[in-house]
Amino acid sequence: TNTVAGAASFVKAALCAWHAEAPPSAHAARRPSDTFDWKRSPLSLAASAVDQVRCVGVSSFGIGGTNAHAILTAPLQTPLALSMTPSSTSPVSVDSTALPLAPAAAPASHHPSRAPPPPPASSTDLTAAANACLHEVVWERAHVSAARLPGKVLPVVLVDGHGHDASSSSSSEGAYLQSLALPTPWVVVSLEDAPRAARQHGALALAGGSESLDDIGSLTWRCLSLLRDVSKAAGSAARVELFALLRASARYAPLRGLLRTARKEMPELSIRSLKVVSGPAVLPALPVEAQLEGGAVR
Protein backbone atom coordinates (compact mmCIF):
# COMPACT_ATOMS: atom_id res chain seq x y z
CA THR A 1 0.00 0.00 0.00
CA ASN A 2 1.13 3.56 -0.60
CA THR A 3 -1.78 5.98 -0.13
CA VAL A 4 -2.97 4.57 3.23
CA ALA A 5 0.37 3.35 4.57
CA GLY A 6 0.51 3.97 8.32
CA ALA A 7 -3.19 4.90 8.61
CA ALA A 8 -4.01 2.11 11.07
CA SER A 9 -0.96 2.93 13.20
CA PHE A 10 -1.93 6.61 13.21
CA VAL A 11 -5.37 5.72 14.58
CA LYS A 12 -3.74 3.46 17.19
CA ALA A 13 -1.30 6.19 18.21
CA ALA A 14 -4.09 8.76 18.52
CA LEU A 15 -6.02 6.42 20.81
CA CYS A 16 -2.89 5.80 22.90
CA ALA A 17 -2.32 9.51 23.39
CA TRP A 18 -6.00 10.14 24.11
CA HIS A 19 -6.30 7.39 26.72
CA ALA A 20 -2.74 7.87 28.05
CA GLU A 21 -2.08 4.15 27.68
CA ALA A 22 -0.24 1.99 25.15
CA PRO A 23 -0.92 -1.73 24.60
CA PRO A 24 1.92 -4.27 24.70
CA SER A 25 3.91 -4.84 21.50
CA ALA A 26 2.53 -7.83 19.62
CA HIS A 27 5.03 -10.74 19.38
CA ALA A 28 8.12 -8.48 19.40
CA ALA A 29 8.22 -8.22 23.21
CA ARG A 30 8.48 -12.00 23.51
CA ARG A 31 11.06 -12.39 20.75
CA PRO A 32 12.99 -9.11 20.31
CA SER A 33 15.35 -8.89 17.36
CA ASP A 34 18.93 -9.88 18.15
CA THR A 35 20.26 -7.55 15.43
CA PHE A 36 19.70 -4.54 17.69
CA ASP A 37 21.65 -3.86 20.89
CA TRP A 38 18.75 -3.30 23.31
CA LYS A 39 20.99 -3.09 26.37
CA ARG A 40 22.82 -0.01 25.08
CA SER A 41 19.67 1.72 23.83
CA PRO A 42 17.21 3.86 25.77
CA LEU A 43 14.46 2.20 23.75
CA SER A 44 12.50 -0.79 24.96
CA LEU A 45 9.62 -2.94 23.76
CA ALA A 46 6.45 -2.91 25.82
CA ALA A 47 5.90 -6.38 27.27
CA SER A 48 2.75 -5.16 29.03
CA ALA A 49 0.41 -2.19 28.89
CA VAL A 50 2.10 1.15 29.62
CA ASP A 51 0.36 3.96 31.53
CA GLN A 52 1.08 7.69 31.53
CA VAL A 53 1.66 7.83 27.77
CA ARG A 54 1.79 11.45 26.64
CA CYS A 55 3.75 11.28 23.38
CA VAL A 56 3.48 8.74 20.54
CA GLY A 57 5.48 8.51 17.32
CA VAL A 58 4.27 7.06 14.01
CA SER A 59 6.36 6.18 10.95
CA SER A 60 4.75 5.40 7.60
CA PHE A 61 6.77 3.65 4.89
CA GLY A 62 4.82 3.55 1.62
CA ILE A 63 5.65 0.84 -0.89
CA GLY A 64 6.53 3.45 -3.49
CA GLY A 65 9.17 5.09 -1.30
CA THR A 66 6.98 7.85 0.17
CA ASN A 67 7.81 8.03 3.89
CA ALA A 68 6.14 10.16 6.54
CA HIS A 69 6.70 10.60 10.27
CA ALA A 70 4.46 12.18 12.90
CA ILE A 71 4.53 12.77 16.64
CA LEU A 72 1.24 12.90 18.53
CA THR A 73 0.85 14.30 22.03
CA ALA A 74 -1.93 14.06 24.58
CA PRO A 75 -4.62 16.78 24.50
CA LEU A 76 -4.11 19.77 26.74
CA GLN A 77 -5.91 19.94 30.07
CA THR A 78 -7.25 23.36 29.10
CA PRO A 79 -8.05 24.61 25.58
CA LEU A 80 -5.21 26.41 23.87
CA ALA A 81 -5.87 30.06 23.12
CA LEU A 82 -4.99 30.44 19.45
CA SER A 83 -4.31 33.85 17.99
CA MET A 84 -3.63 34.11 14.28
CA THR A 85 -3.98 36.92 11.82
CA PRO A 86 -6.25 35.66 9.03
CA SER A 87 -4.84 35.81 5.53
CA SER A 88 -6.82 36.20 2.35
CA THR A 89 -7.58 32.52 2.52
CA SER A 90 -10.98 31.69 3.97
CA PRO A 91 -10.92 29.73 7.25
CA VAL A 92 -11.80 26.06 7.16
CA SER A 93 -15.47 25.58 8.01
CA VAL A 94 -16.03 22.91 10.64
CA ASP A 95 -19.27 21.85 12.29
CA SER A 96 -18.34 21.90 15.96
CA THR A 97 -21.26 19.63 16.84
CA ALA A 98 -19.64 16.84 14.81
CA LEU A 99 -16.34 16.98 16.68
CA PRO A 100 -15.79 14.26 19.32
CA LEU A 101 -15.77 15.31 22.95
CA ALA A 102 -13.56 13.77 25.61
CA PRO A 103 -14.80 10.41 26.89
CA ALA A 104 -16.17 10.06 30.39
CA ALA A 105 -13.49 9.58 33.01
CA ALA A 106 -12.87 5.95 34.04
CA PRO A 107 -13.30 4.99 37.71
CA ALA A 108 -10.24 5.89 39.78
CA SER A 109 -9.84 2.29 40.92
CA HIS A 110 -9.45 1.08 37.33
CA HIS A 111 -6.35 3.17 36.53
CA PRO A 112 -5.11 4.70 39.77
CA SER A 113 -1.86 5.99 38.24
CA ARG A 114 -3.36 7.58 35.16
CA ALA A 115 -3.98 11.30 35.02
CA PRO A 116 -7.65 12.21 34.55
CA PRO A 117 -8.71 12.96 30.96
CA PRO A 118 -9.08 16.62 29.96
CA PRO A 119 -12.50 18.22 30.43
CA PRO A 120 -14.71 18.50 27.35
CA ALA A 121 -14.10 21.67 25.40
CA SER A 122 -17.05 23.96 24.84
CA SER A 123 -18.50 24.44 21.38
CA THR A 124 -17.19 28.02 21.41
CA ASP A 125 -13.63 26.82 22.02
CA LEU A 126 -13.92 24.18 19.29
CA THR A 127 -15.26 26.65 16.76
CA ALA A 128 -12.53 29.20 17.57
CA ALA A 129 -9.82 26.54 17.21
CA ALA A 130 -11.26 25.29 13.91
CA ASN A 131 -11.50 28.78 12.45
CA ALA A 132 -7.89 29.49 13.40
CA CYS A 133 -6.63 26.52 11.36
CA LEU A 134 -5.93 27.68 7.83
CA HIS A 135 -4.95 25.50 4.88
CA GLU A 136 -3.56 27.23 1.84
CA VAL A 137 -2.04 25.81 -1.33
CA VAL A 138 -0.03 28.22 -3.44
CA TRP A 139 0.67 27.51 -7.11
CA GLU A 140 3.46 29.54 -8.65
CA ARG A 141 3.69 29.95 -12.39
CA ALA A 142 6.63 28.14 -13.95
CA HIS A 143 8.23 28.61 -17.34
CA VAL A 144 8.61 25.21 -18.97
CA SER A 145 9.99 24.12 -22.33
CA ALA A 146 7.70 22.23 -24.67
CA ALA A 147 8.40 18.54 -25.23
CA ARG A 148 9.70 17.29 -28.55
CA LEU A 149 7.77 14.13 -29.21
CA PRO A 150 9.63 11.21 -30.80
CA GLY A 151 6.78 10.55 -33.25
CA LYS A 152 4.62 12.77 -35.41
CA VAL A 153 1.38 11.78 -33.67
CA LEU A 154 0.50 11.62 -29.98
CA PRO A 155 -1.66 8.59 -29.07
CA VAL A 156 -4.33 9.51 -26.50
CA VAL A 157 -6.23 7.17 -24.20
CA LEU A 158 -9.51 8.39 -22.77
CA VAL A 159 -9.34 6.74 -19.36
CA ASP A 160 -13.12 7.01 -18.92
CA GLY A 161 -13.98 6.27 -22.56
CA HIS A 162 -14.76 3.08 -24.43
CA GLY A 163 -12.87 2.36 -27.60
CA HIS A 164 -12.30 4.78 -30.44
CA ASP A 165 -15.81 6.24 -30.65
CA ALA A 166 -15.13 8.37 -27.56
CA SER A 167 -13.13 10.74 -29.75
CA SER A 168 -16.40 12.15 -31.07
CA SER A 169 -16.90 15.73 -29.98
CA SER A 170 -20.49 14.82 -29.02
CA SER A 171 -19.28 12.77 -26.05
CA SER A 172 -18.26 14.45 -22.80
CA GLU A 173 -14.81 12.91 -22.92
CA GLY A 174 -14.36 13.94 -26.54
CA ALA A 175 -15.46 17.47 -25.68
CA TYR A 176 -12.93 17.59 -22.84
CA LEU A 177 -10.19 16.43 -25.17
CA GLN A 178 -11.12 19.08 -27.72
CA SER A 179 -11.02 21.76 -25.01
CA LEU A 180 -7.39 20.87 -24.28
CA ALA A 181 -6.36 22.07 -27.76
CA LEU A 182 -3.30 19.82 -27.76
CA PRO A 183 -0.34 21.52 -29.50
CA THR A 184 0.48 18.43 -31.58
CA PRO A 185 -1.46 16.07 -33.87
CA TRP A 186 -3.15 13.34 -31.85
CA VAL A 187 -5.22 10.24 -32.28
CA VAL A 188 -7.43 8.40 -29.80
CA VAL A 189 -6.49 4.78 -29.18
CA SER A 190 -8.18 2.12 -27.07
CA LEU A 191 -6.79 0.71 -23.83
CA GLU A 192 -5.92 -2.50 -25.66
CA ASP A 193 -3.99 -0.71 -28.42
CA ALA A 194 -2.27 1.80 -26.11
CA PRO A 195 0.88 -0.25 -25.27
CA ARG A 196 1.64 -0.92 -28.93
CA ALA A 197 0.93 2.70 -29.90
CA ALA A 198 3.13 3.99 -27.07
CA ARG A 199 6.03 1.81 -28.19
CA GLN A 200 5.55 2.80 -31.83
CA HIS A 201 5.32 6.57 -31.23
CA GLY A 202 7.42 6.81 -28.07
CA ALA A 203 4.71 8.77 -26.29
CA LEU A 204 1.25 8.41 -24.78
CA ALA A 205 -1.31 10.73 -23.20
CA LEU A 206 -3.95 9.84 -20.63
CA ALA A 207 -6.95 12.16 -20.70
CA GLY A 208 -9.79 12.25 -18.17
CA GLY A 209 -12.35 15.00 -17.79
CA SER A 210 -15.15 13.47 -15.75
CA GLU A 211 -16.56 14.91 -12.53
CA SER A 212 -18.29 11.68 -11.50
CA LEU A 213 -17.23 9.84 -8.36
CA ASP A 214 -18.63 6.49 -9.55
CA ASP A 215 -16.37 3.47 -10.15
CA ILE A 216 -13.20 5.22 -9.00
CA GLY A 217 -11.76 1.88 -7.93
CA SER A 218 -12.30 0.38 -11.39
CA LEU A 219 -10.71 3.43 -13.00
CA THR A 220 -7.60 3.13 -10.81
CA TRP A 221 -7.17 -0.59 -11.43
CA ARG A 222 -7.72 -0.10 -15.16
CA CYS A 223 -5.01 2.57 -15.32
CA LEU A 224 -2.66 0.47 -13.18
CA SER A 225 -2.94 -2.36 -15.71
CA LEU A 226 -2.40 0.13 -18.53
CA LEU A 227 0.77 1.57 -16.98
CA ARG A 228 2.13 -1.93 -16.37
CA ASP A 229 1.44 -2.99 -19.97
CA VAL A 230 2.96 0.19 -21.42
CA SER A 231 6.05 -0.24 -19.22
CA LYS A 232 6.48 -3.83 -20.40
CA ALA A 233 5.95 -2.87 -24.04
CA ALA A 234 8.57 -0.14 -23.80
CA GLY A 235 11.21 -2.47 -22.37
CA SER A 236 14.42 -1.46 -20.67
CA ALA A 237 15.97 -0.13 -23.89
CA ALA A 238 13.12 2.29 -24.70
CA ARG A 239 11.46 5.20 -22.95
CA VAL A 240 7.88 6.42 -23.26
CA GLU A 241 7.00 10.09 -22.78
CA LEU A 242 3.74 9.91 -20.82
CA PHE A 243 1.41 12.88 -20.26
CA ALA A 244 -1.50 12.60 -17.81
CA LEU A 245 -4.02 15.36 -18.52
CA LEU A 246 -6.59 14.84 -15.76
CA ARG A 247 -9.27 17.32 -14.78
CA ALA A 248 -8.90 18.95 -11.35
CA SER A 249 -11.53 16.64 -9.90
CA ALA A 250 -11.62 14.36 -6.85
CA ARG A 251 -12.27 11.49 -9.24
CA TYR A 252 -8.63 11.42 -10.31
CA ALA A 253 -6.98 11.89 -6.90
CA PRO A 254 -6.19 8.14 -6.53
CA LEU A 255 -4.88 8.04 -10.09
CA ARG A 256 -2.55 10.97 -9.40
CA GLY A 257 -1.22 9.09 -6.38
CA LEU A 258 -0.71 6.04 -8.57
CA LEU A 259 1.28 8.13 -11.05
CA ARG A 260 3.58 9.31 -8.24
CA THR A 261 4.36 5.70 -7.41
CA ALA A 262 4.76 4.74 -11.07
CA ARG A 263 7.32 7.52 -11.51
CA LYS A 264 9.57 5.66 -9.08
CA GLU A 265 8.67 2.06 -9.87
CA MET A 266 8.55 2.31 -13.68
CA PRO A 267 11.65 4.17 -14.92
CA GLU A 268 10.70 3.34 -18.52
CA LEU A 269 7.92 5.94 -18.23
CA SER A 270 8.78 9.63 -18.19
CA ILE A 271 5.61 10.90 -16.50
CA ARG A 272 4.14 14.41 -16.55
CA SER A 273 1.10 14.58 -14.28
CA LEU A 274 -0.97 17.69 -14.96
CA LYS A 275 -4.06 18.68 -12.95
CA VAL A 276 -6.12 20.50 -15.57
CA VAL A 277 -8.23 23.46 -14.47
CA SER A 278 -8.63 24.73 -18.03
CA GLY A 279 -6.93 24.48 -21.43
CA PRO A 280 -5.14 24.98 -23.68
CA ALA A 281 -2.74 22.22 -22.76
CA VAL A 282 1.02 22.45 -22.47
CA LEU A 283 3.22 19.37 -22.84
CA PRO A 284 6.29 19.97 -20.62
CA ALA A 285 9.66 18.66 -21.73
CA LEU A 286 10.65 17.40 -18.27
CA PRO A 287 8.73 15.09 -15.90
CA VAL A 288 6.69 17.27 -13.54
CA GLU A 289 3.59 17.22 -11.39
CA ALA A 290 1.84 20.53 -11.83
CA GLN A 291 -1.42 22.38 -12.36
CA LEU A 292 -2.48 23.56 -15.81
CA GLU A 293 -4.68 26.62 -16.08
CA GLY A 294 -5.26 28.66 -19.19
CA GLY A 295 -2.09 27.46 -20.88
CA ALA A 296 0.06 28.26 -17.83
CA VAL A 297 1.88 25.59 -15.84
CA ARG A 298 1.97 26.16 -12.08
Side-chain angles (χ1 to χ4, degrees):
T1 60
N2 191 57
T3 305
V4 297
S9 295
F10 187 87
V11 173
K12 178 181 177 181
L15 290 173
C16 290
W18 179 257
H19 294 286
E21 181 179 357
S25 299
H27 309 300
R30 297 195 298 269
R31 296 192 303 270
S33 172
D34 56 4
T35 60
F36 184 78
D37 191 352
W38 295 100
K39 294 181 179 180
R40 299 182 59 185
S41 171
L43 303 176
S44 62
L45 295 175
S48 59
V50 179
D51 285 336
Q52 300 297 327
V53 173
R54 289 299 181 220
C55 185
V56 187
V58 182
S59 291
S60 166
F61 301 96
I63 193 173
T66 302
N67 302 331
H69 309 278
I71 296 177
L72 287 72
T73 59
L76 299 174
Q77 294 292 335
T78 56
L80 178 64
L82 298 177
S83 176
M84 296 178 62
T85 302
S87 65
S88 58
T89 304
S90 300
V92 178
S93 177
V94 178
D95 181 6
S96 61
T97 60
L99 295 175
L101 298 180
S109 59
H110 182 62
H111 289 288
S113 61
R114 184 197 302 180
S122 67
S123 60
T124 302
D125 295 328
L126 292 172
T127 302
N131 288 337
C133 298
L134 304 179
H135 176 71
E136 183 177 8
V137 177
V138 178
W139 298 91
E140 296 183 358
R141 183 166 182 170
H143 298 280
V144 298
S145 299
R148 292 186 178 182
L149 301 181
K152 297 181 179 180
V153 177
L154 175 64
V156 179
V157 173
L158 299 177
V159 296
D160 294 298
H162 305 280
H164 298 273
D165 58 350
S167 62
S168 171
S169 59
S170 61
S171 70
S172 59
E173 285 300 296
Y176 170 74
L177 185 55
Q178 294 288 347
S179 71
L180 293 177
L182 292 172
T184 185
W186 52 270
V187 60
V188 173
V189 298
S190 65
L191 287 169
E192 295 76 14
D193 295 336
R196 179 182 56 82
R199 180 177 179 86
Q200 177 182 352
H201 297 277
L204 182 69
L206 310 181
S210 176
E211 296 280 359
S212 172
L213 299 181
D214 297 332
D215 299 324
I216 294 180
S218 299
L219 167 68
T220 307
W221 280 110
R222 185 164 62 245
C223 291
L224 174 59
S225 299
L226 173 62
L227 293 173
R228 179 198 59 197
D229 294 342
V230 171
S231 178
K232 288 183 178 180
S236 58
R239 188 173 181 87
V240 172
E241 309 295 331
L242 192 142
F243 304 89
L245 302 164
L246 307 173
R247 185 186 294 275
S249 165
R251 174 175 180 79
Y252 303 106
L255 181 50
R256 275 186 272 269
L258 175 62
L259 290 170
R260 295 187 193 106
T261 301
R263 184 180 291 116
K264 304 171 185 176
E265 303 294 334
M266 301 176 181
E268 302 85 5
L269 307 180
S270 181
I271 299 176
R272 292 84 159 167
S273 180
L274 299 175
K275 180 189 294 186
V276 180
V277 177
S278 62
V282 176
L283 303 180
L286 296 177
V288 295
E289 180 174 359
Q291 179 173 284
L292 179 64
E293 183 174 4
V297 175
R298 302 181 185 274

